[in-house]
Amino acid sequence: MTDFPFQIVGFDLDGTLLDTAADLAHALNHALGHIGREPVSLDLARTFIGGGTGQMLRAALAHGGSADGIDVTALQDVLVGFYAENIARHTALFSGGEAMLDALAARGVHLAIATNKREDLARRLFDEMGLTPRFATIIGGNTLGPGRAKPAPDMLHEMVARCGGGRAAFVGDTTFDVGAARAAGLPVVAVSFGFNDLPPRELGADAVIDHFDELVSALEALSR
């Protein structure tokens, strides 16, 4: 199938392609417990996810009180260390994800990941889940250096370049994703089942889907 309108489709990872909330919440609560803070619920932890582990930790600390006197960098190392060792205990593709990836691959689409998660963690997670071979490139929040993670457009420009150029679209779940796509000049689809930091239809995406069964047709509609 060569008439599909996009040669490249990029995905955010946490809350878009994969439901990582439980594993991230366990790691977050491990770090909070390390300094004597109370754990947060899974539902609350979901609202902190999207901007990388540093932002997630800072949001949790602000929710529970002041971060004064806390070495946030060292605590983030505690969080990441625990997460790396327990990275795929509960994480799974969102419903319909595997069939959707198969459908895009069958259309000759280059699949890519652009996530604010550290690249080494994203690669470790994908390796453990057997997903790495599906993707032409995996770009993490630290891949290009400070200040270049989403919502900056740099990761999406790099994604297109690494995939050899062509018409690209992006799929995400937060304002970070929509902002990056807008800045990069790419059409963007939001998923309503992710870790949305605004109501899904207020994110400003070109389309919103409620299940991955809808993604191929949503992308086709964007070209009309």
Side-chain angles (χ1 to χ4, degrees), residues 122-201:
R123 289 186 177 277
R124 181 167 186 163
L125 175 55
F126 274 35
D127 285 348
E128 289 201 21
M129 297 187 69
L131 292 172
T132 301
R134 288 182 174 271
F135 294 92
T137 189
I138 298 172
I139 302 169
N142 63 335
T143 300
L144 302 180
R148 301 183 70 186
K150 297 175 292 183
D154 305 46
M155 297 168 67
L156 303 194
H157 289 316
E158 180 71 10
M159 174 189 82
V160 173
R162 289 188 183 188
C163 290
R167 192 173 184 205
F170 196 64
V171 184
D173 68 319
T174 67
T175 55
F176 294 94
D177 302 315
V178 174
R182 288 279 176 251
L186 301 185
V188 57
V189 176
V191 300
S192 67
F193 46 79
F195 308 149
N196 314 118
D197 54 345
L198 286 177
R201 284 161 179 80

Side-chain angles (χ1 to χ4, degrees), residues 50-172:
T53 55
Q55 173 163 307
M56 179 177 69
L57 179 59
R58 289 190 293 273
L61 290 171
H63 175 81
S66 171
D68 292 347
I70 297 171
D71 187 337
V72 178
T73 300
L75 192 59
Q76 185 177 349
D77 289 341
V78 172
L79 187 159
V80 170
F82 181 91
Y83 181 60
E85 294 303 316
N86 301 274
I87 201 165
R89 291 182 180 271
H90 305 285
T91 291
L93 285 161
F94 280 105
S95 180
E98 185 172 7
M100 174 273 297
L101 294 174
D102 287 342
L104 290 174
R107 288 162 170 78
V109 174
H110 295 293
L111 303 174
I113 294 294
T115 173
N116 280 354
K117 186 190 292 292
R118 272 180 17 190
E119 181 180 339
D120 59 311
L121 294 175
R123 289 186 177 277
R124 181 167 186 163
L125 175 55
F126 274 35
D127 285 348
E128 289 201 21
M129 297 187 69
L131 292 172
T132 301
R134 288 182 174 271
F135 294 92
T137 189
I138 298 172
I139 302 169
N142 63 335
T143 300
L144 302 180
R148 301 183 70 186
K150 297 175 292 183
D154 305 46
M155 297 168 67
L156 303 194
H157 289 316
E158 180 71 10
M159 174 189 82
V160 173
R162 289 188 183 188
C163 290
R167 192 173 184 205
F170 196 64
V171 184

Side-chain angles (χ1 to χ4, degrees), residues 6 189 207-209 213-223:
F6 297 101
V189 176
V208 179
I209 61 171
D213 289 353
E214 304 167 18
L215 181 60
V216 169
S217 60
L219 290 169
E220 289 172 333
L222 291 183
S223 68

